Structure formats: structure tokens, C-alpha cells
Amino acid sequence: MPLPPEFHEIAKRVNNWGRWGEADEIGTLNLITDDVVRDAAATVRTGRRVPLALPLQQDGVQTGIVPGRVNPLHTMTQINYEMFGPGTVAISDDAVTMGLQAATHWDALTHVSHSGVIYNGRPADTVTAHAGARFSGIDKAPYIVSRGVLLDVARAKGLDRLPADHAVSPEDLDEAAEFGRVTVAPGDIVLVRTGQVQVFLAGDRQGYGFPSPGLSVHTPEWFHAHGVAAVANDTLTFEIIPPEIEGLWLPVHALHLVEMGMIQGQNWNLEKLSTACAQEKRHAFLLSAMPEPFIGGTGTPVAPVAVF
Amino acid sequence: MPLPPEFHEIAKRVNNWGRWGEADEIGTLNLITDDVVRDAAATVRTGRRVPLALPLQQDGVQTGIVPGRVNPLHTMTQINYEMFGPGTVAISDDAVTMGLQAATHWDALTHVSHSGVIYNGRPADTVTAHAGARFSGIDKAPYIVSRGVLLDVARAKGLDRLPADHAVSPEDLDEAAEFGRVTVAPGDIVLVRTGQVQVFLAGDRQGYGFPSPGLSVHTPEWFHAHGVAAVANDTLTFEIIPPEIEGLWLPVHALHLVEMGMIQGQNWNLEKLSTACAQEKRHAFLLSAMPEPFIGGTGTPVAPVAVF
Amino acid sequence: MPLPPEFHEIAKRVNNWGRWGEADEIGTLNLITDDVVRDAAATVRTGRRVPLALPLQQDGVQTGIVPGRVNPLHTMTQINYEMFGPGTVAISDDAVTMGLQAATHWDALTHVSHSGVIYNGRPADTVTAHAGARFSGIDKAPYIVSRGVLLDVARAKGLDRLPADHAVSPEDLDEAAEFGRVTVAPGDIVLVRTGQVQVFLAGDRQGYGFPSPGLSVHTPEWFHAHGVAAVANDTLTFEIIPPEIEGLWLPVHALHLVEMGMIQGQNWNLEKLSTACAQEKRHAFLLSAMPEPFIGGTGTPVAPVAVF
Amino acid sequence: MPLPPEFHEIAKRVNNWGRWGEADEIGTLNLITDDVVRDAAATVRTGRRVPLALPLQQDGVQTGIVPGRVNPLHTMTQINYEMFGPGTVAISDDAVTMGLQAATHWDALTHVSHSGVIYNGRPADTVTAHAGARFSGIDKAPYIVSRGVLLDVARAKGLDRLPADHAVSPEDLDEAAEFGRVTVAPGDIVLVRTGQVQVFLAGDRQGYGFPSPGLSVHTPEWFHAHGVAAVANDTLTFEIIPPEIEGLWLPVHALHLVEMGMIQGQNWNLEKLSTACAQEKRHAFLLSAMPEPFIGGTGTPVAPVAVF
């Protein structure tokens, strides 16, 4: 079953292949220029910091829906071990096994493919077991610092959180921008708040993931038009699930990652950020969201921080 | 063999227990106030970003010296997997097993203990196999953004890198600060460059770790006097190894983590930062170095970025 | 809350500390003498083999009840990788992360402690994070081959499987031995079938683990009296759960592992064995159930096989 | 560079595709019939057991030569944890991350491919990241119990161990069989001793792996002619390395696994077995070497035991 015509029509409109050259591996991150970063730093007025990562723990957001995407298993390899003899300084060390997309994370551009290709038209089979992603791995995106903009869709609608069947539309994004009195500009990292992460925070791990509100298949064009560098939200699936068009699973993933070359983030905890934006009366801030540079990684845990 | 009197004398002079209350779990990170962060952001002039993390890879800096501290094993759990049927959007996912202190990392305050205690006088046995660090785990330090200062000890001396037997002294730190025309102030995160990471970058994994230049047992007092919030450098062991005082292993770890409650970072790649500071003609910048919030973690990988 | 008097009374009756010397680390495995093994081999008449391990897979019996006991995460580290150049022999390699007690397994004697001690009266704190079990680790039990005896409690009662609240009693064991026309003898490995594993095989992972039939606190005396070398069954918890005596959790574990020094196995699939015994008209066979020799391991996956 | 004609000539002579039907996934394990097992059990006379696995430990035989094939990282997930409250029975649990081929192991038939195919002519791309080996995974070989025969090539030559450049030839196998006064018969599992594992046992991990004696490209025909069911030895690479024919890497792997459909084992410790055979004056015994049933596994750790 090939992808339907609707998909390909949108794909044509948002496609960025070749835009930054044939050798490009980072897509819309090219939009984060030094000037953008300088201006983002200039938005800082109080120094207030808001971290956006969920805790990394065995009891995390994964429930087995995605095979192999395991919650972090954190183990101590040494506990107060007097390695150099009795009475000496003692060491505690630890290790972890986890899915790179298990908790708060960035998808690398290689996280999905369609029709046998990844971003910039490269063959999908350049992702291999022994080397991971040869092109556009997360290690190729070594710094992600820019202006962050919260589009608080739930709060703009006066809701704690969106209903599970709500597909966030371009109109919702406009409404939230207006609510936040902010204009999305080239190089911005947009954070879209649905409030869905509250379901997880309240202890319902199954309910958090499915069904879930999320981005509509029509939003990539909005992000494309605004020159957005990256998008993250507070859901497991990023886009609405089950999908809007029957049988068309993960179209937003394919449009963002493959067609636009725009990385995206999931499971970001935007609750405290929502409060902070309301209190600070602005929805733009300096955002640092550095990928861990896994060679060939198709994703990465990230511990983002907003600075006001 | 108890720790020698010299250790306890220094310990008394730098001890911060109770300084931020009995309940405190983050020590000198308290020195990073909103004002410090605001001023740090104000140092940004060009938007130039320099990432400081080594790549995460199986062929990393660990060589088996520290048992259980394994280099990252990155594996693909799915490769272009058409989970929803033939022709649908295909998914690539990955997982990792790694020591939390394996590559570029922060030590949590609980990474070492001595005499049965950790920071703020708590019993060391509050670190357990099932829960990790109950107090002062890395999850308690949710945001680390501040002014970063590079003390380029190697370059200040006109050297590519310090000799393996060079213990970085307080005088070296003063010299490097003067060289960089920078004054270390309360809340700063100090990065001390020895150049030792070049050994690893040149392919000599064994030679990188041992023997190695590193901080002298006399530097904690310097950091204490200047109100430093955290320190990182470009070596495996952080402090000089083998140690200055025979039989006194890891005294700097014990002074920083246990006595001062100051986290420290290792295996930071400061080579490009050294070049950038020379080019930008300043050695202070905005530094974001967010811990991944592992619940109970005694360390964390970190992907720091300096913004000029 | 200390363990109740009932526990200590039974403990006194089954205690084997010192029975095989103060240095002993393997307990009742001492009962498997060469003669026992020779006689066990002599029971083989047809060469029919029945494997008893559940498949090792991500979708295994663990559901998160025991923190850190993760189902196997099997990943490919290489897939048809032409390591030596195009057209050469290609390699596929894999790795796993799993709890040692995750699936079909043996508990080592150190898997539990009570009152601060492990088998043979050693201090429990000889189990450490950096070295695992210094004494009585699973590596100390390098071969487990003996006569296996199936006590098919469910079939003896004419049931597919025992009800969830059924504590297998000594009388049940006698009944099953009579049903199988078998006499349990010193050095035997006894397999107790409840039929509970059918719940897992039918897809109900939650229902399999809790509540569950299992061994009664009164069975250790029966095993002790018969000179049994090891016991395994087809449940997650081994003993009845919730327990018979309120607040006394895992008494059978403590009696077997700590007091008797008798290892025990869980999650063994005894369904095909039940059929085979019925068809072969005998309930004794050669059993090979070799531990994987994890140094310091407190458990091990095992792939047992019965040979008729 | 395609495989040379010599390879294809031998391949033609030993090929077993279709021999046990098109649906077959286990190859020469079909030769282990119930009768073979019955007769193998009948060889047991004393009940003496000899385990053949190397310890599973971080300091194992892997040195990084094969990327991703990591030594076991054994960690405690709980240590004497009083899960049910103070004074209750306390639990110690552990987990492991390891390459399935890291220590003493079996290669599954899918461990290598050549020319795009695996055993029985199936396409090699049936091995995938999300499912592992769809055909001929190690889970398809659920029981491996048979007569074991030690061909003690080193001892037959009066050597402690073979020189590193010694390719074990068919004549060597004949010589060792004669030395052991044993005739290899259909269904046997042959263990070929070179003595090379002594290098590892003496602490030289690098020297153990490379260079190494091992099987010659001419031995598969010998195994084929004798109806051998499986072969294992005491080296890292199984076959001589560097290889006999320049540029032809791993020909024995390809002949055994792909052409013959015969699994093979590496890193078996045959030292104590050699002594036992000499003492017992026979080189045939009952061998149990059960794979751990990893679904889709291309290898498995194994803890073999010989019973005399």
C-alpha cells in the first residue's frame, strides 16, 4: 500500500531537498544562524530557567507499544567501592540501558524513511545495524540552541489539555501565537503544548500514549512557511493518533523528517513552561536542547532548558 | 588506611555542609542565581556556538580501567521497519547501554564518598542498588546554565598540552585567568584546559587516561575562594594521576563532591573552545550543560555548548 | 517487623548450615553425586528430549512488578555486514540486555537474604554492586545435571491448572508422586507443575504473575526430608502469592535459599513435559539444567532439557 | 571481490540445502535422532561431569576486535532490598548486557551469510533489526544433547597447544580420533581441542584472539563425510586466522553455517575435558549444550557439560 496522493501533494510543497546543498545532513537546523542565536540570548531578562525533560526512570512513558524502545534501566556498577583499599575515597558508578527515543528526546532525521529514502533523497539503506545512520545521524546536529517559542494550544483554548481526538491545526497554531503575543520567525524552535503529558504525570502510562492529541498532517506546511528550525511537543506520538487519514500512519513524521529535514521532539514536559510563560507574560525565550552526540543515532535523549 | 591529615585540613577549609541548609542536595549550584544566568546571557555577542562533548561511540575513552564503566554500545532496534504494513512510513529506532560516566559527563555529588559520608554529612549508604542515590542524585540538579569561563592553562603556558606529570596549581589558574583577561566570579562554571584530550583524539586511548595531568589537591581552595559553581576539564581522571600524595587517591573528587558539594565534569573536549576563545578574544561565554535527569544517577552524560 | 516465630521454627528443622562444611557455597547440590548422575543417565530409554525454557523475548513474563527485572532486549549489532569488504562472507551479530531472573531461570543461593545473612550463615553484605555475590554466586554451581522428577500436581488432581489461591502442600506432592508412580530420592531435581504458565502462554502476562498458585511454606520440609537437590516450577513467584501468612512474604525463598542452601527455578514451561510423562508413562528422566556461569550472579537464565 | 572458485568447489561438495526439506531451519541437527541420544546416554558410566564454559565476566575474551560484541556487563539491580518492609526477606537481583557471541557460545546458522543467502538458500535479508533472524534463529534449535567426541589435536601431537599458525587439517582430525580410540559417527558433536584457550586463561586476552590456530578450510568436508551434527573448539575465531587463502576470510563459517547448515561453537574451555578424557581413557561422552532460546538470535551463550 503506497502512501496516498494527499501525502505526496503536501510533501511537494514542503520539500527541502537540495535547499542547503546535496551534502547537507541537518536540514532546517541550517536556519539557526549565529544571528538567530544572538537575538535569542538577547531575549533573556530575568535568568529564570525551566527544565523540560521528564525524569529518566524505569517507570517511564514506554509501555511496550514500540518494540525495543525500552524505558531506562539504571543500575549501579559500584556503590561506595573502596577501589584503592580500605578507608580510601569510595566510588559509586552507574550504567544505563535505554531506548534513545524512550523519554524526552529528539528524533534524528533518519528516524523514519518512506519509499526507500531519507532526507535529501538519500537511500534509506544507509542506516545499518553496524554503523547506525551514516547520514543525518543525531551526531551531525551537534548544537541546538535557539529562540524557543511556546505555542500553548491548550491554554489558548482555555483547556487544561486537549481532548484525545484533537488534531492540532494550523489555525490552532495561529490562535496560540496570538494568545502568546508572539510571532514565529525563521530559526525558531517551536514547542506545541497539548497538555497530554498530564496524563502520564497523573500515573496513567497507557492512557498517555494512545489515543492522543497531536499535530495534524496540515501543520508541516505552517512550520515550513514560518521557517521553523525544529518542533517539539508533550505527547508520545507527536502527531495525532490514531491518524486523521485512515491507513496513513505517521505522515507528520515523514513530512518533517524526510521531506523538510526538520527534527522533532516528543515527551517534552511543557507544564511548568506553560506556567512560566503566563507569569513572565511572554512566550519566547532562549532554548538550549543539545543532542547527546551518539554516532549514527536516529534519536537522542535531551534535557532541554528554557531561559527567560 | 584512613585519609591523611593534609586531606582533613583542606577539607575543613572548603567544607560547605549546612551552608545552604540541612536539606540541601545541590551544593555550589546554589550559587547560580537568576542574576548570574541573566548576566551570562548578556555576554552573548555573536551567537557562535561551540559544542564540548566527545562523540558517543563504542570506541570511546574507556579502556577497562574502571570496571563496569563501559563505552556506549549503540544498537538499532528497528531499521526502516514498515511497522504498519508494506509501503507505509518506516521506522528506525535505537538503544544504548553505557556507563553514565563513560564519556563527556558530570559527576553527581554522590559519585564518591569518604569516611562513610556524602555531601552535607549524609550517610553514604543512602546510595543503593535498587534506587541509586536517594540524595544528591544527578536528577536533583535539573538545570545547569551559567557563565562559563575557560582557564586555558596549556595555552597560557604556550604549550599544546601539559606534560603528563603536571598538577594544575592555583597559580596556574591565576596565570590562565590573567592570560584570558577574565575574573572568575561567584556562580561561574570553570573549564580548565590541559590539552590532554588531544591524546585521545590522536587515537591513543590508553595513553589518554594514565598517566595524566589534572587538578592539584590545592585547587579546591581556589575554587572555593572564587565561589565557583562547577568545574570541568579535558581529562579522564579530572585530577592528576598518579596522585601527588602517595596513597591519597582522588582527593580532589572527595573535596569537591563531598566537602564542597561542587559537581565536576570530565572528558570535555575543550580544543575547539580554546581556538574560539582565542579568536573571539574573550574567555567567558554562556554555557549550557544540562544533566540528563537520571533518577538516582551518580553521574550523567552531558552535551555542553558554549555560546559567544 | 522481624520474621514471625513460625518461620524460625521451620527454619530450624530444615537448616543445612555447616552440613557440607563451613566453606561450602552450593548447599544441596552436594547431593548430586556422580552415582546419582550415572543412575539418572541410566533412566534414558528412548532419547526423546523435551526443552523446558520459555522463549527469550521482549514480550516475556516480566511486567514491571519487580523493578529492574527487565525482559530480554535483543538487538542486532551487525546484519550481514561485509566486514572484510564487498562480496566477502557477511556477519550478523547480536547483543542482549536482560534481568538474569527475567525468564526461565535458577535463583542462586544469594538471591535472597534474611536477618542479614545468606546461606551458611555468611553476612548478606558480601553481595556488592561491584562484584555481585562473593559467595554462593551462580558461578559456583557450574553443573546441574541429575535425575529430574515431575510432580504433576495439576494433572494428579485432574485439573488443567491449579486455582490461583492454591498453595501446593506436602500432601499434594505425595499425591503427585503417587500419580506418577515415582519415589523422590536424594539428589533429585523436582519439578512441580501447577499449570499456571498456561496463563502466560495464552497471552495474559499480568494474570500469570499475580495472584498465582505456588509452593506452600510447608513444602521445604518435604524437600528436606527427601534430600531434594533443587526444585523448579512453572510460576513467576515460585511460592503462592499473596502469601499464606499475612505479612510473611517469600518464606519459601528464604527457607530454600538461605536455610537449606537449595537453589530453585521459576518460569519453567512444564506443559510439554507433562504430556511427555503421560505418554512415556514415567515421571523420572535425565535432566540437564546448566547455569550460565555469571561471576557473582544471583541468578541465571537456564535452558533445561529433559531426556527420556 | 566475490568468493574464489576454491570456496565454491568445496561448497558444492558439502552443501545440504534441501536435504531435510525446503522448510528445514536446523540443518545437521536433524542428525541427532532419538536413537543417537539414547546411545549417547548409554555411554555414561561414572557420572563425572565436566563443564566447558568460560566464566561470564567483564574481563572476558572480547577485546574490541568485533565491534559491538561486548563482554558481559553484570550489574546488581537490587542488593538485599527489603522490598516488603524492614526486617522482611530481602532480595538481590541482577541484569546483564552482553554480546550473544561474547563468551562460550553457539553460532546460529544465520550468524553469517554469503552471496546474499543463508542456509537452505533463503535470502540473507530475512535477518532484520526488529526481529532478528526470521529463519534458522537459535530459538529454532531448542535442544542440543548428543554424544560428544573430543578430538584432542594438541594432545595427540604431544603439544600443550598448537602453534598460532597451525590450521587443523582433516589428517589432524583422523590422528586425534585414532589417539582417542574413537570413531566419529552421524549425530556426534565434535569438540576440537587446540589448547589455544590457555592463552586467555593465562591472562593474555589480545594474544588469545589473534593470531590463532583453528580449523582449516578443508575440515568441513571431513565433518560432512562423518555426519557430524555440530562442531565446537577452544578458540575465538574457530578457524585459523589470518586465513589460509589470502583474502578469503571466514570460509569455514560460510561452509558450516550457510552450506552445510551445521552450527558451530567457539571459546569452549576444553582444558579440563582433555584431562578427564585422558583419565577416563575415552574420548566420547554425553554432551548437553543447550542454547538459550533467544527469539531470532544469531548466536547464544551456552554452558555445555560433558558427562562420563
Side-chain angles (χ1 to χ4, degrees), chain B residues 129-153:
Chain B
H130 66 278
R134 178 143 55 107
F135 300 102
S136 291
I138 200 64
D139 52 305
K140 303 294 171 58
Y143 33 70
I144 301 182
V145 180
S146 191
R147 188 174 80 138
V149 171
L150 176 67
L151 297 184
D152 197 338
V153 176

PDB file of all heavy atoms in Angstrom, chain B residues 129-153:
ATOM      1  N   ALA B 129      21.461  -0.143  45.458  1.00  0.00           N
ATOM      2  CA  ALA B 129      21.350  -0.758  44.131  1.00  0.00           C
ATOM      3  C   ALA B 129      19.966  -0.532  43.532  1.00  0.00           C
ATOM      4  O   ALA B 129      19.839  -0.299  42.333  1.00  0.00           O
ATOM      5  CB  ALA B 129      21.643  -2.256  44.220  1.00  0.00           C
ATOM      6  N   HIS B 130      18.933  -0.594  44.341  1.00  0.00           N
ATOM      7  CA  HIS B 130      17.587  -0.521  43.751  1.00  0.00           C
ATOM      8  C   HIS B 130      17.140   0.894  43.450  1.00  0.00           C
ATOM      9  O   HIS B 130      16.296   1.115  42.603  1.00  0.00           O
ATOM     10  CB  HIS B 130      16.562  -1.232  44.637  1.00  0.00           C
ATOM     11  CG  HIS B 130      16.343  -0.594  45.964  1.00  0.00           C
ATOM     12  ND1 HIS B 130      17.177  -0.806  47.032  1.00  0.00           N
ATOM     13  CD2 HIS B 130      15.393   0.264  46.396  1.00  0.00           C
ATOM     14  CE1 HIS B 130      16.749  -0.109  48.074  1.00  0.00           C
ATOM     15  NE2 HIS B 130      15.678   0.550  47.717  1.00  0.00           N
ATOM     16  N   ALA B 131      17.708   1.882  44.142  1.00  0.00           N
ATOM     17  CA  ALA B 131      17.235   3.256  43.945  1.00  0.00           C
ATOM     18  C   ALA B 131      18.330   4.227  43.535  1.00  0.00           C
ATOM     19  O   ALA B 131      18.048   5.379  43.246  1.00  0.00           O
ATOM     20  CB  ALA B 131      16.557   3.755  45.217  1.00  0.00           C
ATOM     21  N   GLY B 132      19.572   3.773  43.499  1.00  0.00           N
ATOM     22  CA  GLY B 132      20.652   4.711  43.210  1.00  0.00           C
ATOM     23  C   GLY B 132      20.810   5.683  44.366  1.00  0.00           C
ATOM     24  O   GLY B 132      20.630   5.317  45.529  1.00  0.00           O
ATOM     25  N   ALA B 133      21.128   6.937  44.024  1.00  0.00           N
ATOM     26  CA  ALA B 133      21.373   7.949  45.056  1.00  0.00           C
ATOM     27  C   ALA B 133      20.052   8.550  45.521  1.00  0.00           C
ATOM     28  O   ALA B 133      19.370   9.221  44.753  1.00  0.00           O
ATOM     29  CB  ALA B 133      22.276   9.045  44.499  1.00  0.00           C
ATOM     30  N   ARG B 134      19.717   8.304  46.784  1.00  0.00           N
ATOM     31  CA  ARG B 134      18.468   8.876  47.308  1.00  0.00           C
ATOM     32  C   ARG B 134      18.598  10.389  47.464  1.00  0.00           C
ATOM     33  O   ARG B 134      17.658  11.133  47.243  1.00  0.00           O
ATOM     34  CB  ARG B 134      18.117   8.235  48.649  1.00  0.00           C
ATOM     35  CG  ARG B 134      16.871   8.798  49.296  1.00  0.00           C
ATOM     36  CD  ARG B 134      16.052   7.732  50.016  1.00  0.00           C
ATOM     37  NE  ARG B 134      16.843   7.012  50.992  1.00  0.00           N
ATOM     38  CZ  ARG B 134      16.731   7.151  52.318  1.00  0.00           C
ATOM     39  NH1 ARG B 134      15.856   8.028  52.814  1.00  0.00           N
ATOM     40  NH2 ARG B 134      17.450   6.439  53.147  1.00  0.00           N
ATOM     41  N   PHE B 135      19.787  10.832  47.849  1.00  0.00           N
ATOM     42  CA  PHE B 135      20.051  12.263  47.988  1.00  0.00           C
ATOM     43  C   PHE B 135      21.111  12.681  46.969  1.00  0.00           C
ATOM     44  O   PHE B 135      22.012  11.902  46.659  1.00  0.00           O
ATOM     45  CB  PHE B 135      20.558  12.584  49.398  1.00  0.00           C
ATOM     46  CG  PHE B 135      19.594  12.217  50.475  1.00  0.00           C
ATOM     47  CD1 PHE B 135      19.771  11.062  51.230  1.00  0.00           C
ATOM     48  CD2 PHE B 135      18.482  13.017  50.734  1.00  0.00           C
ATOM     49  CE1 PHE B 135      18.859  10.719  52.227  1.00  0.00           C
ATOM     50  CE2 PHE B 135      17.567  12.671  51.739  1.00  0.00           C
ATOM     51  CZ  PHE B 135      17.760  11.519  52.484  1.00  0.00           C
ATOM     52  N   SER B 136      21.017  13.905  46.527  1.00  0.00           N
ATOM     53  CA  SER B 136      22.053  14.485  45.664  1.00  0.00           C
ATOM     54  C   SER B 136      22.324  13.679  44.405  1.00  0.00           C
ATOM     55  O   SER B 136      23.430  13.691  43.880  1.00  0.00           O
ATOM     56  CB  SER B 136      23.361  14.679  46.455  1.00  0.00           C
ATOM     57  OG  SER B 136      23.193  15.692  47.424  1.00  0.00           O
ATOM     58  N   GLY B 137      21.327  12.918  43.937  1.00  0.00           N
ATOM     59  CA  GLY B 137      21.441  12.296  42.622  1.00  0.00           C
ATOM     60  C   GLY B 137      21.467  13.377  41.557  1.00  0.00           C
ATOM     61  O   GLY B 137      21.104  14.534  41.801  1.00  0.00           O
ATOM     62  N   ILE B 138      21.871  12.991  40.363  1.00  0.00           N
ATOM     63  CA  ILE B 138      22.016  13.975  39.291  1.00  0.00           C
ATOM     64  C   ILE B 138      20.656  14.557  38.917  1.00  0.00           C
ATOM     65  O   ILE B 138      20.573  15.680  38.379  1.00  0.00           O
ATOM     66  CB  ILE B 138      22.728  13.349  38.074  1.00  0.00           C
ATOM     67  CG1 ILE B 138      23.320  14.447  37.197  1.00  0.00           C
ATOM     68  CG2 ILE B 138      21.810  12.437  37.274  1.00  0.00           C
ATOM     69  CD1 ILE B 138      24.404  15.274  37.850  1.00  0.00           C
ATOM     70  N   ASP B 139      19.574  13.850  39.217  1.00  0.00           N
ATOM     71  CA  ASP B 139      18.233  14.358  38.928  1.00  0.00           C
ATOM     72  C   ASP B 139      17.874  15.568  39.791  1.00  0.00           C
ATOM     73  O   ASP B 139      16.918  16.286  39.493  1.00  0.00           O
ATOM     74  CB  ASP B 139      17.186  13.261  39.149  1.00  0.00           C
ATOM     75  CG  ASP B 139      17.324  12.612  40.526  1.00  0.00           C
ATOM     76  OD1 ASP B 139      18.427  12.127  40.851  1.00  0.00           O
ATOM     77  OD2 ASP B 139      16.341  12.591  41.285  1.00  0.00           O
ATOM     78  N   LYS B 140      18.637  15.774  40.856  1.00  0.00           N
ATOM     79  CA  LYS B 140      18.359  16.917  41.721  1.00  0.00           C
ATOM     80  C   LYS B 140      18.978  18.210  41.182  1.00  0.00           C
ATOM     81  O   LYS B 140      18.772  19.274  41.733  1.00  0.00           O
ATOM     82  CB  LYS B 140      18.891  16.649  43.138  1.00  0.00           C
ATOM     83  CG  LYS B 140      18.338  15.394  43.781  1.00  0.00           C
ATOM     84  CD  LYS B 140      16.865  15.490  44.036  1.00  0.00           C
ATOM     85  CE  LYS B 140      16.272  14.156  44.486  1.00  0.00           C
ATOM     86  NZ  LYS B 140      16.846  13.573  45.692  1.00  0.00           N
ATOM     87  N   ALA B 141      19.773  18.090  40.128  1.00  0.00           N
ATOM     88  CA  ALA B 141      20.447  19.244  39.537  1.00  0.00           C
ATOM     89  C   ALA B 141      19.866  19.513  38.160  1.00  0.00           C
ATOM     90  O   ALA B 141      20.540  19.362  37.152  1.00  0.00           O
ATOM     91  CB  ALA B 141      21.957  18.964  39.436  1.00  0.00           C
ATOM     92  N   PRO B 142      18.600  19.904  38.088  1.00  0.00           N
ATOM     93  CA  PRO B 142      17.892  19.835  36.815  1.00  0.00           C
ATOM     94  C   PRO B 142      18.339  20.830  35.759  1.00  0.00           C
ATOM     95  O   PRO B 142      18.087  20.625  34.588  1.00  0.00           O
ATOM     96  CB  PRO B 142      16.442  20.062  37.206  1.00  0.00           C
ATOM     97  CG  PRO B 142      16.511  20.849  38.461  1.00  0.00           C
ATOM     98  CD  PRO B 142      17.756  20.421  39.168  1.00  0.00           C
ATOM     99  N   TYR B 143      18.957  21.944  36.192  1.00  0.00           N
ATOM    100  CA  TYR B 143      19.413  22.845  35.121  1.00  0.00           C
ATOM    101  C   TYR B 143      20.781  23.400  35.460  1.00  0.00           C
ATOM    102  O   TYR B 143      21.017  23.872  36.559  1.00  0.00           O
ATOM    103  CB  TYR B 143      18.449  23.988  34.854  1.00  0.00           C
ATOM    104  CG  TYR B 143      17.702  24.499  36.037  1.00  0.00           C
ATOM    105  CD1 TYR B 143      18.335  25.208  37.047  1.00  0.00           C
ATOM    106  CD2 TYR B 143      16.333  24.278  36.139  1.00  0.00           C
ATOM    107  CE1 TYR B 143      17.623  25.687  38.136  1.00  0.00           C
ATOM    108  CE2 TYR B 143      15.627  24.754  37.217  1.00  0.00           C
ATOM    109  CZ  TYR B 143      16.278  25.458  38.212  1.00  0.00           C
ATOM    110  OH  TYR B 143      15.573  25.921  39.283  1.00  0.00           O
ATOM    111  N   ILE B 144      21.655  23.320  34.508  1.00  0.00           N
ATOM    112  CA  ILE B 144      22.986  23.884  34.683  1.00  0.00           C
ATOM    113  C   ILE B 144      23.264  24.760  33.478  1.00  0.00           C
ATOM    114  O   ILE B 144      23.669  24.303  32.411  1.00  0.00           O
ATOM    115  CB  ILE B 144      24.059  22.791  34.847  1.00  0.00           C
ATOM    116  CG1 ILE B 144      23.714  21.919  36.070  1.00  0.00           C
ATOM    117  CG2 ILE B 144      25.433  23.433  35.029  1.00  0.00           C
ATOM    118  CD1 ILE B 144      24.717  20.824  36.365  1.00  0.00           C
ATOM    119  N   VAL B 145      22.986  26.037  33.672  1.00  0.00           N
ATOM    120  CA  VAL B 145      23.238  27.071  32.675  1.00  0.00           C
ATOM    121  C   VAL B 145      23.858  28.214  33.453  1.00  0.00           C
ATOM    122  O   VAL B 145      23.309  28.616  34.479  1.00  0.00           O
ATOM    123  CB  VAL B 145      21.933  27.566  32.018  1.00  0.00           C
ATOM    124  CG1 VAL B 145      22.225  28.647  30.997  1.00  0.00           C
ATOM    125  CG2 VAL B 145      21.171  26.413  31.398  1.00  0.00           C
ATOM    126  N   SER B 146      24.962  28.720  33.000  1.00  0.00           N
ATOM    127  CA  SER B 146      25.592  29.819  33.727  1.00  0.00           C
ATOM    128  C   SER B 146      26.634  30.472  32.823  1.00  0.00           C
ATOM    129  O   SER B 146      26.723  30.174  31.635  1.00  0.00           O
ATOM    130  CB  SER B 146      26.241  29.307  35.015  1.00  0.00           C
ATOM    131  OG  SER B 146      26.624  30.398  35.838  1.00  0.00           O
ATOM    132  N   ARG B 147      27.424  31.340  33.414  1.00  0.00           N
ATOM    133  CA  ARG B 147      28.558  31.843  32.685  1.00  0.00           C
ATOM    134  C   ARG B 147      29.649  30.787  32.729  1.00  0.00           C
ATOM    135  O   ARG B 147      29.952  30.222  33.784  1.00  0.00           O
ATOM    136  CB  ARG B 147      29.075  33.149  33.294  1.00  0.00           C
ATOM    137  CG  ARG B 147      30.156  33.799  32.402  1.00  0.00           C
ATOM    138  CD  ARG B 147      30.575  35.167  32.916  1.00  0.00           C
ATOM    139  NE  ARG B 147      31.517  35.078  34.002  1.00  0.00           N
ATOM    140  CZ  ARG B 147      32.593  35.865  34.142  1.00  0.00           C
ATOM    141  NH1 ARG B 147      32.831  36.817  33.248  1.00  0.00           N
ATOM    142  NH2 ARG B 147      33.398  35.732  35.174  1.00  0.00           N
ATOM    143  N   GLY B 148      30.225  30.496  31.592  1.00  0.00           N
ATOM    144  CA  GLY B 148      31.363  29.599  31.538  1.00  0.00           C
ATOM    145  C   GLY B 148      32.633  30.424  31.372  1.00  0.00           C
ATOM    146  O   GLY B 148      32.635  31.439  30.678  1.00  0.00           O
ATOM    147  N   VAL B 149      33.692  29.958  32.014  1.00  0.00           N
ATOM    148  CA  VAL B 149      34.986  30.621  31.880  1.00  0.00           C
ATOM    149  C   VAL B 149      36.027  29.572  31.530  1.00  0.00           C
ATOM    150  O   VAL B 149      36.141  28.563  32.226  1.00  0.00           O
ATOM    151  CB  VAL B 149      35.379  31.323  33.198  1.00  0.00           C
ATOM    152  CG1 VAL B 149      36.822  31.828  33.120  1.00  0.00           C
ATOM    153  CG2 VAL B 149      34.422  32.461  33.499  1.00  0.00           C
ATOM    154  N   LEU B 150      36.725  29.792  30.451  1.00  0.00           N
ATOM    155  CA  LEU B 150      37.800  28.869  30.107  1.00  0.00           C
ATOM    156  C   LEU B 150      39.103  29.361  30.720  1.00  0.00           C
ATOM    157  O   LEU B 150      39.554  30.464  30.424  1.00  0.00           O
ATOM    158  CB  LEU B 150      37.970  28.755  28.582  1.00  0.00           C
ATOM    159  CG  LEU B 150      39.148  27.860  28.164  1.00  0.00           C
ATOM    160  CD1 LEU B 150      38.901  26.398  28.528  1.00  0.00           C
ATOM    161  CD2 LEU B 150      39.434  27.985  26.668  1.00  0.00           C
ATOM    162  N   LEU B 151      39.684  28.511  31.574  1.00  0.00           N
ATOM    163  CA  LEU B 151      41.041  28.773  32.051  1.00  0.00           C
ATOM    164  C   LEU B 151      41.965  27.870  31.235  1.00  0.00           C
ATOM    165  O   LEU B 151      42.086  26.676  31.501  1.00  0.00           O
ATOM    166  CB  LEU B 151      41.147  28.509  33.554  1.00  0.00           C
ATOM    167  CG  LEU B 151      40.267  29.411  34.425  1.00  0.00           C
ATOM    168  CD1 LEU B 151      40.515  29.151  35.909  1.00  0.00           C
ATOM    169  CD2 LEU B 151      40.488  30.895  34.106  1.00  0.00           C
ATOM    170  N   ASP B 152      42.564  28.468  30.233  1.00  0.00           N
ATOM    171  CA  ASP B 152      43.328  27.704  29.243  1.00  0.00           C
ATOM    172  C   ASP B 152      44.782  27.583  29.719  1.00  0.00           C
ATOM    173  O   ASP B 152      45.683  28.264  29.226  1.00  0.00           O
ATOM    174  CB  ASP B 152      43.233  28.411  27.885  1.00  0.00           C
ATOM    175  CG  ASP B 152      43.626  27.488  26.736  1.00  0.00           C
ATOM    176  OD1 ASP B 152      44.344  26.498  26.988  1.00  0.00           O
ATOM    177  OD2 ASP B 152      43.207  27.777  25.592  1.00  0.00           O
ATOM    178  N   VAL B 153      44.996  26.690  30.665  1.00  0.00           N
ATOM    179  CA  VAL B 153      46.292  26.566  31.321  1.00  0.00           C
ATOM    180  C   VAL B 153      47.385  26.204  30.305  1.00  0.00           C
ATOM    181  O   VAL B 153      48.489  26.770  30.344  1.00  0.00           O
ATOM    182  CB  VAL B 153      46.225  25.520  32.456  1.00  0.00           C
ATOM    183  CG1 VAL B 153      47.597  25.308  33.083  1.00  0.00           C
ATOM    184  CG2 VAL B 153      45.212  25.960  33.510  1.00  0.00           C
TER     185      VAL B 153
END
